[in-house]
Amino acid sequence: MAGGTLPGTDADDDAESDRVVFHVDMDCFYASCERLRRPELDGEPLVVGMGYEAGETIGAVATASYEARAFGVESAMPISEALELLPRRANADPDDPDAPDPGEAGRYLPVDLDFYKEVAGDVKAVLRDCADVLREVSVDEAYLDVTDRTAWDAAAGESAAAGPAEVRTLAEGYARHVKERIEREAGVPASVGVAPNMSTAKVASDADKPDGLVVVPPGEVEPFLAPLPTADIHGVGPVTERTLAELGIETAGDLAAADPDRLADELGDRGRELYRRARGEDDREVTPTGLPKSLSRESSLSATADEERKRETVRALAADVARRARERGCLYRTIGIKAVEPPYEVNTRARSLPGPVDDPDLVESVALDLLDEFDGDRVRKLGVRVSKLDFAESDQATLGGFDAGGGSGDAGDEPGGRDRGTEPRSAATDGDGGKLTDWVDGEPDGADADGETETDRRTGDGQASLGDWS
Ligand code: TTP
Ligand code: MG
């Protein structure tokens, strides 16, 4: 019977369980992007990270292909440890008796975030096309509300007499379609979790990686979660996991059966939230990705004091940022630059304007003007940012008469000011030691207290601004 409702899923009297939420998480994303442009790396142990180039000593794994994970290599691991587990293929000389066995060696590549963002753009284009509401969480992860595009009904030809877990649903078919489109149009593999709420969809996408498709129909959520270790519940990191273990709570089932007051005593409000998640209760709506607070673009250079090179870079960055602002229909009231001097001295300068503008020439001239302060200085990274954004409809195209030449180095009301701070090091760094701003996942409110977050943690499932500098 086509369109039969699954047993135990009479959604009519429960609007919440009627929702169909997908969580899409790309498989070993940076490594898959590298394979897209170097297909010869398919099937090879591949590590993407930094710190293994000549002269580098510190660095971390950004990601490892599943073949490299079989050797124990994992994200955020120091590169030195990864190299012990999986020697570098370049050192695997068949004529050298002391060299590693080529069959036991891997390829190591540096991070090329710009390229991964391009690929992510292709993925997002598919997702936008397939979702009623799309919430982008990071460069490789998103939630889709597809309730109006599909349903929990059994697919044509499926018998609703089977158990819900066995029946193929329309939702599963749609998820397969989305997965295939991503693979075809962006060229990289994704894992998809399908569930009636966000937190279960998130767990489901992770449950059968890589190339996973796990469907958890309403009515199956609690039994699906129950046997999983608490660490699999979104928001439980190593510290919380230990706290829970001390309470005798090892699985999501234990958590679901625990006393919520006791959990609240130990973990505060998060305790109750995790309790609800373990029971499959999560009524958060999939809301569209929040508007950014700033738009920025930065570019790494091999350290240079060459003025023309620096100015050219800033011009290009300014044009890019201004174009993106215009595309998004947003005005800005602050224009800033960032100049990183080797090794990690981060300088930010910004100037506030009297009013909001959309004026690419002004972005360029203010950015170049701010750059003057670094005349003669060697820089290894430059950035341009517009902030104090205003997305309201407006025709205020330019701000005639603004004196771009005045007050060089005015810190305005931006963070950074004249201080020369040290750039925070993160486990996730781009090829030049800078922070990545785009990949970190959110956890439930307060999860940072767990101490298991990366330096660049963004909270609230991607609510924080895009491209913010710290
Ligand atoms: P993840 O989705 O956590 O990992 P992944 O896509 O590499 O692998 P999986 O198949 O398990 O999803 O992160 C997405 C990208 O973010 C990852 O490819 C590289 C980057 N990243 C870091 O740079 N550092 C980190 O510590 C982690 C976890 C990810
Ligand atoms: Mg991923």
Side-chain angles (χ1 to χ4, degrees):
M1 178 194 72
T5 301
L6 290 179
T9 62
D10 186 6
D12 284 349
D13 51 11
D14 185 358
E16 205 181 285
S17 68
D18 220 6
R19 293 195 298 148
V20 186
V21 177
F22 290 178
H23 180 257
V24 174
D25 189 313
M26 308 308 296
D27 298 326
C28 55
F29 183 56
Y30 291 5
S32 298
C33 292
E34 292 295 349
R35 284 172 164 170
L36 182 60
R37 59 181 172 183
R38 303 175 203 225
E40 71 277 11
L41 296 175
D42 273 358
E44 296 276 332
L46 171 62
V47 178
V48 180
M50 59 156 305
Y52 36 81
E53 298 304 334
E56 291 268 6
T57 48
I58 308 168
V61 173
T63 195
S65 72
Y66 281 79
E67 294 81 358
R69 291 180 201 194
F71 289 83
V73 178
E74 53 187 46
S75 291
M77 176 179 271
I79 220 77
S80 51
E81 202 178 328
L83 284 166
E84 272 171 34
L85 295 166
L86 177 68
R88 208 175 168 184
R89 179 82 169 271
N91 304 330
D93 176 356
D95 298 328
D96 175 357
D98 296 328
D101 176 350
E104 301 278 292
R107 301 288 299 266
Y108 283 71
L109 292 176
V111 174
D112 179 356
L113 198 55
D114 285 342
F115 177 60
Y116 312 150
K117 284 183 175 170
E118 255 178 68
V119 179
D122 293 342
V123 175
K124 293 291 149 66
V126 173
L127 299 184
R128 257 195 301 273
D129 206 30
C130 293
D132 300 323
V133 183
L134 175 65
R135 169 160 215 90
E136 298 169 32
V137 177
S138 74
V139 73
D140 96 321
E141 188 184 342
Y143 292 93
L144 288 70
D145 190 309
V146 292
T147 308
D148 292 341
R149 311 268 178 129
T150 184
W152 284 115
D153 297 338
E158 293 288 326
S159 163
E166 286 85 48
V167 177
R168 276 207 324 118
T169 55
L170 295 175
E172 176 178 339
Y174 190 55
R176 199 173 300 283
H177 163 78
V178 172
K179 214 165 121 56
E180 283 166 6
R181 268 195 69 181
I182 297 170
E183 181 100 47
R184 198 168 55 243
E185 294 175 35
V188 279
S191 289
V192 181
V194 183
N197 62 50
M198 290 172 74
S199 60
T200 310
K202 165 100 181 161
V203 176
S205 75
D206 205 35
D208 190 28
K209 266 180 167 289
D211 198 25
L213 173 56
V214 173
V215 183
V216 187
E220 284 297 304
V221 172
E222 226 181 319
F224 165 74
L225 296 173
L228 301 176
T230 54
D232 284 7
I233 297 297
H234 187 32
V236 177
V239 177
T240 307
E241 187 187 8
R242 269 197 303 280
T243 308
L244 291 172
E246 280 159 19
L247 300 172
I249 298 169
E250 305 280 350
T251 65
D254 296 341
L255 187 56
D259 173 0
D261 292 334
R262 179 84 205 283
L263 293 169
D265 287 347
E266 294 292 332
L267 297 165
D269 282 347
R270 283 184 62 228
R272 289 185 202 283
E273 179 61 27
L274 294 175
Y275 167 79
R276 280 193 296 272
R277 287 189 182 180
R279 298 168 70 87
E281 295 166 9
D282 175 12
D283 56 7
R284 287 175 303 157
E285 251 180 70
V286 180
T287 50
T289 315
L291 294 172
K293 292 194 180 117
S294 68
L295 295 170
S296 67
R297 178 94 197 207
E298 52 188 56
S299 177
S300 297
L301 321 163
S302 43
T304 180
D306 179 338
E307 287 319 312
E308 202 30 53
R309 176 99 199 279
K310 283 154 57 179
R311 291 176 70 81
E312 236 172 65
T313 304
V314 163
R315 270 189 220 108
L317 294 170
D320 183 78
V321 167
R323 177 184 53 77
R324 277 161 56 215
R326 182 165 287 179
E327 274 171 12
R328 287 166 172 246
C330 97
L331 306 176
Y332 32 89
R333 278 201 294 126
T334 300
I335 297 168
I337 65 158
K338 168 167 158 179
V340 181
E341 293 176 68
Y344 299 107
E345 267 189 27
V346 182
N347 308 284
T348 57
R349 301 290 183 271
R351 183 172 305 151
S352 296
L353 312 175
V357 299
D358 162 20
D359 190 338
D361 291 344
L362 190 61
V363 178
E364 179 180 305
S365 62
V366 170
L368 287 174
D369 195 46
L370 295 172
L371 181 69
D372 281 348
E373 186 188 331
F374 300 93
D375 247 10
D377 293 345
R378 285 170 75 235
V379 299
R380 63 170 186 82
K381 187 183 278 184
L382 287 166
V384 172
R385 172 170 70 171
V386 295
S387 54
K388 290 276 159 72
L389 304 184
D390 182 351
F391 285 88
E393 298 273 314
S394 174
D395 285 328
Q396 306 163 54
T398 62
L399 186 72
F402 174 74
D403 175 11
S408 158
D410 177 9
D413 47 10
E414 290 299 294
R418 291 185 159 273
D419 295 336
R420 299 202 158 199
T422 298
E423 189 165 23
R425 299 302 306 270
S426 155
T429 55
D430 67 18
D432 203 24
K435 286 200 325 172
L436 301 185
T437 51
D438 247 341
W439 62 266
V440 184
D441 181 18
E443 295 205 78
D445 294 343
D448 284 3
D450 231 8
E452 62 211 28
T453 57
E454 299 296 344
T455 315
D456 193 24
R457 165 70 63 202
R458 294 200 282 148
T459 54
D461 283 326
Q463 303 253 26
S465 64
L466 290 174
D468 252 356
W469 297 338
S470 61

